[in-house]
């Protein structure tokens, strides 16, 4: 069974500082995608970053980067130079690549507060 | 270009009633999925449709059903509503089954009283 675990229900960071959100997952598959989605109070899930499991290089998108440890099944998100607009719920998600469409498995989320 | 649109945005229903939620995918997107997000939890997969055919079903009772229309829009129906069905229902669309990214709508907040 595919499970995604986010062990930090809440995190806080000072504006302009760096914060890391943790995620672990369990799967028997070898080929899959991992994602971080952001859900602000507007409720819309917004894609932050994506990682293909076959790629060893960690994905980066501007101030957002991941630390992907495939053997450890760990996928953490680092937010650098945190901004007030980064405050939101962050969900780690997993999806296998067997042409099964967009069936995601989500974690329970981490609520990020950015302190001015 | 419009994103994924869902209607209505909020809905209040009574136990035992039936509800229909609607989703319009991004233009050109042929795959639509539905998720239930209970307060304080991550979204849970309910259904996935591609080219009007069901391609996946999550662990939800038969009270939940869905369909996709020729224009790729979709409806989610829930019969015999229970208090536990109160949740945010999210629709996600993607170009095709093989495309990893999905784009989500803002959801429908369903409250069952």
């Amino acid at each position: 069974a595919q499970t995604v675990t986010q062990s930090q229900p809440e995190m806080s960071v000072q504006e302009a500082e760096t914060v890391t959100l943790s995620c672990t997952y369990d799967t028997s598959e070898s080929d899959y995608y991992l994602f971080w989605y952001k859900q602000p109070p507007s409720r819309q899930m917004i894609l932050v970053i994506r990682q293909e499991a076959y790629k060893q290089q960690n994905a980066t998108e501007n101030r957002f980067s991941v630390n992907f440890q495939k053997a450890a099944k760990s996928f953490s998100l680092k937010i650098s130079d945190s901004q007030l607009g980064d405050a939101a719920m962050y969900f780690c998600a997993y999806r296998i690549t067997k042409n099964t469409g967009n069936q995601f498995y989500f974690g329970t989320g981490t609520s990020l507060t950015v302190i001015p | 270009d419009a994103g994924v649109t869902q209607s209505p945005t909020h809905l209040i229903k009574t136990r035992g009633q039936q509800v229909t939620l609607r989703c319009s995918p991004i233009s050109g997107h042929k795959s639509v999925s539905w998720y239930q997000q209970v307060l304080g939890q991550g979204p849970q997969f309910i259904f996935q449709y591609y080219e009007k055919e069901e391609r996946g079903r999550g662990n939800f009772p038969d009270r939940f059903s869905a369909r996709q229309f020729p224009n790729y829009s979709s409806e989610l129906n829930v019969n015999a509503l229970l208090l536990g069905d109160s949740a945010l229902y999210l629709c996600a669309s993607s170009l095709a089954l093989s495309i990893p990214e999905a784009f989500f709508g803002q959801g429908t907040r369903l409250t069952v009283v």
Side-chain angles (χ1 to χ4, degrees):
Chain A
Q2 281 72 235
T3 59
V4 178
T5 301
Q6 294 179 249
S7 58
Q8 307 155 314
E10 297 178 349
M11 292 283 284
S12 62
V13 62
Q14 289 285 144
E15 194 175 3
E17 296 296 311
T18 296
V19 64
T20 299
L21 308 184
S22 300
C23 173
T24 59
Y25 59 95
D26 187 23
T27 182
S28 57
E29 302 288 338
S30 59
D31 200 13
Y32 49 87
Y33 292 94
L34 294 164
F35 303 81
W36 279 97
Y37 275 91
K38 168 185 176 181
Q39 188 177 42
S42 67
R43 308 180 321 201
Q44 187 165 17
M45 299 283 274
I46 301 166
L47 177 65
V48 175
I49 199 165
R50 178 190 105 190
Q51 174 80 42
E52 290 89 338
Y54 67 86
K55 289 186 177 179
Q56 293 189 342
Q57 185 173 7
N58 290 323
T60 62
E61 283 289 341
N62 301 313
R63 299 182 294 108
F64 299 88
S65 61
V66 299
N67 184 2
F68 173 47
Q69 303 289 327
K70 189 172 185 179
K73 297 180 180 175
S74 170
F75 183 61
S76 61
L77 173 70
K78 185 171 82 172
I79 305 174
S80 303
D81 185 27
S82 296
Q83 300 175 0
L84 295 177
D86 294 334
M89 282 292 289
Y90 285 81
F91 290 96
C92 178
Y94 158 98
R95 205 211 94 186
I96 62 175
T97 58
K98 290 181 179 177
N99 203 27
T100 54
N102 50 13
Q103 179 179 343
F104 290 88
Y105 297 87
F106 286 90
T108 52
T110 296
S111 177
L112 179 66
T113 300
V114 180
I115 303 166
Chain B
D1 199 10
V4 179
T5 57
Q6 293 187 242
S7 62
T9 54
H10 296 84
L11 201 54
I12 300 175
K13 289 286 189 178
T14 304
R15 275 181 300 173
Q17 285 189 314
Q18 176 264 342
V19 68
T20 298
L21 311 181
R22 295 176 175 82
C23 172
S24 293
I26 293 171
S27 177
H29 285 200
K30 298 181 178 180
S31 176
V32 170
S33 290
W34 288 95
Y35 290 80
Q36 181 196 64
Q37 187 178 14
V38 174
L39 194 62
Q41 299 292 319
Q44 297 290 315
F45 173 72
I46 308 175
F47 284 110
Q48 193 227 341
Y49 276 79
Y50 178 70
E51 289 281 16
K52 302 180 287 295
E53 291 187 2
E54 182 183 303
R55 291 301 193 101
R57 173 186 282 256
N59 188 25
F60 280 80
D62 292 343
R63 299 184 296 107
F64 289 77
S65 63
R67 55 179 174 169
Q68 187 178 32
F69 298 98
N71 66 353
Y72 303 111
S73 67
S74 177
E75 287 183 350
L76 175 69
N77 295 285
V78 187
N79 293 322
L81 284 166
L82 304 174
L83 296 179
D85 295 330
S86 295
L88 179 67
Y89 289 85
L90 294 167
C91 173
S93 79
S94 64
L95 271 171
L97 290 178
S98 58
I99 303 298
E101 284 87 2
F103 297 86
F104 286 81
Q106 289 188 299
T108 294
R109 172 73 68 191
L110 172 65
T111 302
V112 182
V113 298

